[in-house]
Amino acid sequence: MANTKQNEEQLDEFENVESKFGKTELYIEENRNKLFTGVAIIALIVLGIIAYNKFIKAPNEKKAAAQMFQAENYFERDSFNLALNGDGNYPGFLKIMSDWSSTKAGNNAKYYAGICYFKTQEFDKAIECLESFSADDQSIAPISKGLLGDCYSEKGDYNKAQKLYKEAAKIGKENSFVAPIYLNKLATLLEKDSKWQDALDIYMQIKKEYPSSNEARTIDKNIQLMNIKLGK
């Protein structure tokens, strides 16, 4: 009896599997054209991506990077106008970021252009470039954010600058050189707003978390001054 019942259960299970397989086979048969079309479309998309990366994106990256050379040379020599606009023979950062916007070089040109505009005190243009810059490199990300803070600080928008300095310090938290710079700038602006306790907290953070930084060397004076302001 036990064997008979087991055989019946196995037979039922086999019939269920066979039924499901039959339905699947029927579905494939009825929708063969749609399925093949879907597979073909996916294959074309994948091939298109591969072809784009190989024959368009990669060559464009090389061309854009090559055009950056002279602009970077002018930038290093503090010739910011030539770095931005080119010299007639070689393009500047503005043309590169426009013509090659989809490349890494085009993106980096926005960062360089932002610095050039900051150096020439054209802060609105600097902000426009830096806000459109995409910082994938974690060493550049806090600096670009901090530079935005500098722009807003120069424009007198201290609240916006404080937020950006705070973000820059947070992004660069693991960088013992960058983070204390922007924390110190944040504390300085807090002092301007007479937020003595907030400034003191930041100075104490620098002393505790970045004791070997340049900012920490003179931090005790700032801490002492904040304590005096607070009547401690």
Side-chain angles (χ1 to χ4, degrees), residues 167-193:
E167 288 179 31
K170 184 177 180 180
I171 296 170
K173 185 177 181 180
E174 303 302 322
N175 189 320
S176 60
F177 174 76
V178 170
I181 290 176
Y182 295 117
L183 285 173
N184 195 60
K185 289 187 175 188
L186 171 59
T188 300
L189 290 187
L190 289 169
E191 283 192 55
K192 285 181 178 290
D193 285 345

Side-chain angles (χ1 to χ4, degrees), residues 212-223:
S212 300
S213 65
N214 289 331
E215 288 69 28
R217 293 178 183 177
T218 58
I219 209 72
D220 286 335
K221 293 180 180 179
N222 301 89
I223 292 171

